[in-house]
Amino acid sequence: MRVAVFSSKSYDEEFLSASSTHQFAFFKNHLCEQSAVLASGFNAVCCFVNDDVNADVIALLKEAGIRLIVLRCAGFNNVDVAAAKQAGIAVYRVPAYSPHAVAEHAIALILTLNRKTHRAYARVRENDYSLHGLMGFDLYGKTVGVVGTGVIGVEFARIMKGFGCQLLGYDPVRNSSFEQIGEYVALDELWPRCDIISLHCPLSPATHYLINTRSLAAMKHGVMLINTGRGGLLDTRAVIQELKTGKIGSLGLDVYEEEADLFFEDYSDKIMTDDVFARLTTFPNVLVTGHQGFFTKEAMSEIARVTMLNLTSFESDTVIEENRLA
């Protein structure tokens, strides 16, 4: 198949080009209404988290002759799946690539925020070995809330269990693997009991702004909040307000609500125009990474492998139900 790969970087080309089964053309452009014309002459498009595959884009893709959309990610909140189905365009995703990658990155955020290793590193580089402001706390014995107990959430929980933490979980669908190491509770019970809360749920209408003024008010004073899921799970303005009051003791983000025009690009010589994000990064107890939780060799290899499998299965008219969305 001839595949137009949008939002591509050098690492996408490296891992996808390892297979000669299909023909790839790599475009740095995000897929949107303006760039959809680039899909002309191809059988499929390959998209990532910040491509905007709305109903209007899908109509343009259908007009261009596209029969398949393959996502090289698990989340699909940026795709109008119903519109694709109505247009007769199949949609496939990579439902699980490396739960270890994202879970371990969430742990890295926790350890860095807690022991302030990022600040200590900068001090030592300046010949400053003072300890003022670097005090953390023992993870042992702390209560950790896991919101979303799919494969990533469970892997995160297992690691935190290894630190000696008590685990509370919330998910509309219970996972027996989590039940072996933690306790399921309602969100109203989880918020006030946890010292650390980590988000591992998909973005949907039900989870949009799950972290909001009301849920923040219910949390412990000084809570550590981690989000490696999707930016829209968290109301950034409400979070900033509670950072100012000290309700949120530390915040670790690998995703951001308005990241589409920010993450994965180098803007080091540009002026920051997003006032909310700029304010967020002024707090010394906030750590932001640019959606790199997935970014390991193992995960990239698996994303490429499953993407190839999705393309080949569609071409041979073999449906992989767990990967297909439409």
Side-chain angles (χ1 to χ4, degrees), residues 20 23 31 64 90 92 113 136 147 149 233 251 257 266 287 299-300 312:
S20 58
Q23 298 178 8
L31 178 57
Y92 280 75
L113 282 165
V147 182
T149 57
L233 298 174
L251 174 70
E257 187 177 5
D266 180 1
L287 180 61
M300 288 298 294
T312 301

Side-chain angles (χ1 to χ4, degrees), residues 199-220:
L199 306 180
H200 299 283
C201 49
L203 179 61
S204 68
T207 60
H208 183 248
Y209 282 1
L210 186 68
I211 304 301
N212 53 46
T213 301
R214 179 179 174 276
S215 57
L216 287 166
M219 294 178 193
K220 280 186 178 182

Side-chain angles (χ1 to χ4, degrees), residues 31-33 45 47-62 68-71 73 75-92 203 205 324-326:
L31 178 57
C32 61
E33 291 180 50
V45 294
C47 306
F48 198 45
V49 294
N50 290 330
D51 290 310
D52 186 6
V53 196
N54 60 38
D56 292 333
V57 170
I58 286 169
L60 292 170
L61 293 178
K62 181 179 181 180
L68 172 65
I69 298 168
V70 284
L71 305 174
C73 53
F76 54 93
N77 55 281
N78 57 324
V79 182
D80 191 328
V81 176
K85 188 173 184 178
Q86 186 174 6
I89 299 176
V91 182
Y92 280 75
L203 179 61
R324 186 167 184 174
L325 298 170

Side-chain angles (χ1 to χ4, degrees), residues 239-261:
V239 164
I240 287 173
Q241 183 58 39
E242 297 305 341
L243 281 164
K244 290 161 67 176
T245 67
K247 166 71 81 166
I248 298 177
S250 50
L251 174 70
L253 302 177
D254 188 49
V255 289
Y256 172 59
E257 187 177 5
E258 302 296 333
E259 70 176 59
D261 296 322

Side-chain angles (χ1 to χ4, degrees), residues 54 60 88 148 172 264 305 307:
N54 60 38
L60 292 170
F264 306 116
R305 185 191 72 80
T307 298

Side-chain angles (χ1 to χ4, degrees), residues 273-294:
T273 58
D274 186 330
D275 292 342
V276 174
F277 188 80
R279 181 67 179 100
L280 192 65
T281 57
T282 64
F283 293 94
N285 54 343
V286 171
L287 180 61
V288 180
T289 54
H291 207 137
Q292 71 178 80
F294 76 99

